[in-house]
Amino acid sequence: VWRMCERTQAANMEDAFIDCAGRERGMYVRDTIIQYHVNLAIFGYHRLMRRCLELFGQSADTTGRFRIVYPNTGAYTYNDFSLNMVEGYRAYYDATGDDARIKADWPAIRTNLEYFHKWSDRRADLLLENLPELGGFGGDSETPKTLGDHSGVSCFFSLSYLLAVQSAVRLARAIGRSGDAGELERRAAALSASISKAFWDPEKRCFRDNLTGGTYSVHSNLFAVRAGIVTTEQLAGIRAHIADDLRTPFVNGYDPSGGYRVSSHFCFYILEALYKAGLADTAESLMRQGWGYFLAHGAKTTPEFFNMEQSLCHAWSASPAYYLSKHVLGIEFPEAPNLDVVRIAVQASSITEAEGAWPHPRGEIEVKWHTVDGRRVFDYVRAPAGVLLRGL
């Protein structure tokens, strides 16, 4: 799986991170963000992302939102992607400390968010409603509505907005915009409280998707985990719900003919939250079944979706390379953007041995471990001179 993702990523790095090697070859927001993370684990290259952000910083449409793909000649905007872009800037800053790029694009970041502030402020609780006039919210568009109904006042949409606001707080602090940061922090706190009050179901012990409470998708619940707004007690309920509901990416349990519980590209967010929730076993099962399906059908690169019908070299489906390197090797940067402090914190369940390296500005961080009678033993952990290792 890792090699398949590596091959896909290499094929989709040109003068920008492109969505696919064989179709439109466009620079799309979500594709760019996912690929930047995959690239961090494989190549550790930053100049391409800096160039992508420079372009996206110029991409605002007439509403002020980042466009879904750029450069282009149309006002092609999608709320999900516009919110994702703020998280993309944060990821870049955390990996580089490049505050100059953030300062240059801060007006665009702020204007993008102001579009959503305007709609959020229409309600006292600041929650976002999935309205056509707002531009709508697709979420994970491959998931059937029977598994996740994000219409109306939406938990998933509101959480996506919250994550963008949280990322903007981080960026504002980094570039010394304390006034903007304070305003955004207050909004994030109020929004967090509203989401917990409006959508948490104490009987189901998980978050409902909207105010009618008909569905309890893995997306809403895992985005609450990503946003860090769940209590220890709530996390226990969410873990039980997710472990039962996400045993496979396929609705019918074995292939894409019945649809997907989660799509291959959206697993970038799903896998992040699974590891954050301590569900390494579910994450490994998801990768083994979903990307195993690709391998079983002869794929050498990752297709666009969990099927063999669209683009067959689509790098937004290559996220397992990032999560396998980060969590199975256990390489974390707790003081980012200071990358000279590394914590080794392996998360593995069914995986019993691992060996690999993470690119670092000073060289490579190398890790090898295996298990003996269920106990993890490190063969070696090596870091370049000047890098402090913790967690062993």
Side-chain angles (χ1 to χ4, degrees):
V1 168
W2 195 96
R3 291 297 182 195
M4 177 170 56
C5 294
E6 176 192 39
R7 190 178 297 115
T8 309
Q9 186 57 66
N12 286 280
M13 295 170 70
E14 297 186 11
D15 58 336
F17 289 112
I18 59 171
D19 67 319
C20 58
R23 199 171 61 197
E24 68 269 54
R25 293 167 61 207
M27 186 185 72
Y28 283 77
V29 165
R30 186 173 289 168
D31 301 73
T32 295
I33 295 167
I34 294 171
Q35 288 192 68
Y36 179 56
H37 285 81
V38 178
N39 151 80
L40 289 177
I42 299 172
F43 305 115
Y45 189 62
H46 303 291
R47 288 175 59 189
L48 203 57
M49 185 61 167
R50 184 166 67 244
R51 175 58 176 157
C52 291
L53 294 179
E54 180 183 19
L55 290 168
F56 276 122
Q58 304 168 24
S59 74
D61 72 351
T62 55
T63 70
R65 289 173 293 172
F66 292 116
R67 298 190 201 188
I68 188 174
V69 57
Y70 192 79
N72 72 344
T73 57
Y76 189 14
T77 311
Y78 200 34
N79 283 331
D80 307 44
F81 286 61
S82 298
L83 291 169
N84 294 161
M85 192 71 254
V86 187
E87 290 193 74
Y89 274 101
R90 176 179 179 171
Y92 172 73
Y93 174 75
D94 283 344
T96 65
D98 182 3
D99 58 356
R101 182 74 264 145
I102 308 305
K103 287 178 182 176
D105 291 347
W106 180 249
I109 295 168
R110 186 175 58 189
T111 300
N112 175 68
L113 280 176
E114 284 171 352
Y115 175 83
F116 298 96
H117 296 342
K118 178 182 68 176
W119 288 91
S120 172
D121 287 342
R122 297 195 343 167
R123 294 179 56 93
D125 56 16
L126 304 182
L127 300 174
L128 286 179
E129 188 170 2
N130 195 348
L131 297 169
E133 58 266 37
L134 174 54
F137 178 77
D140 187 352
S141 57
E142 299 304 305
T143 303
K145 280 195 173 184
T146 53
L147 297 180
D149 182 1
H150 306 295
S151 61
V153 179
S154 167
C155 182
F156 192 5
F157 194 0
S158 298
L159 282 163
S160 298
Y161 173 47
L162 173 60
L163 283 155
V165 173
Q166 290 173 334
S167 294
V169 170
R170 166 81 166 154
L171 296 172
R173 292 290 181 201
I175 62 173
R177 300 295 297 248
S178 57
D180 288 344
E183 179 183 333
L184 289 164
E185 281 178 336
R186 289 187 290 273
R187 181 175 291 270
L191 185 57
S192 298
S194 293
I195 291 170
S196 295
K197 180 179 179 181
F199 300 111
W200 179 256
D201 187 328
E203 293 185 5
K204 294 279 191 178
R205 299 178 66 221
C206 55
F207 285 89
R208 57 172 63 91
D209 287 323
N210 54 33
L211 298 183
T212 64
T215 59
Y216 299 78
S217 70
V218 297
H219 302 80
S220 292
N221 284 278
L222 288 176
F223 264 53
V225 173
R226 289 189 70 228
I229 65 168
V230 301
T231 65
T232 302
E233 182 180 352
Q234 288 175 330
L235 181 59
I238 291 171
R239 281 169 52 90
H241 172 63
I242 297 300
D244 180 64
D245 209 38
L246 200 55
R247 290 170 290 180
T248 169
F250 304 116
V251 172
N252 63 14
Y254 56 88
D255 76 8
S257 63
Y260 323 115
R261 293 181 177 276
V262 290
S263 65
S264 55
H265 79 273
F266 213 87
C267 278
F268 171 72
Y269 300 106
I270 297 299
L271 290 168
E272 178 197 1
L274 288 174
Y275 280 109
K276 190 169 183 178
L279 290 170
D281 52 344
T282 304
E284 290 170 16
S285 177
L286 195 60
M287 287 186 277
R288 193 172 277 120
Q289 293 184 62
W291 281 262
Y293 176 86
F294 292 152
L295 292 170
H297 286 75
K300 301 298 183 183
T301 53
T302 58
E304 185 174 9
F305 302 110
F306 280 133
N307 58 44
M308 307 296 290
E309 298 171 6
Q310 287 93 8
S311 164
L312 299 181
C313 185
H314 221 90
W316 75 348
S317 297
S319 62
Y322 173 71
Y323 291 110
L324 288 170
S325 289
K326 179 177 180 178
H327 294 295
V328 178
L329 293 182
I331 297 170
E332 298 181 353
F333 300 96
E335 298 182 12
N338 174 17
L339 304 185
D340 288 339
V341 177
V342 175
R343 179 171 59 220
I344 304 299
V346 174
Q347 289 195 64
S349 177
S350 60
I351 297 173
T352 57
E353 59 180 309
E355 179 180 8
W358 185 281
H360 187 278
R362 297 181 183 274
E364 287 191 334
I365 301 166
E366 300 173 292
V367 177
K368 182 179 180 180
W369 60 263
H370 66 282
T371 54
V372 178
D373 297 328
R375 182 174 59 90
R376 186 172 297 113
V377 176
F378 285 92
D379 300 270
Y380 57 75
V381 177
R382 301 170 183 152
V387 174
L388 176 65
L389 288 172
R390 294 177 179 172
L392 295 175

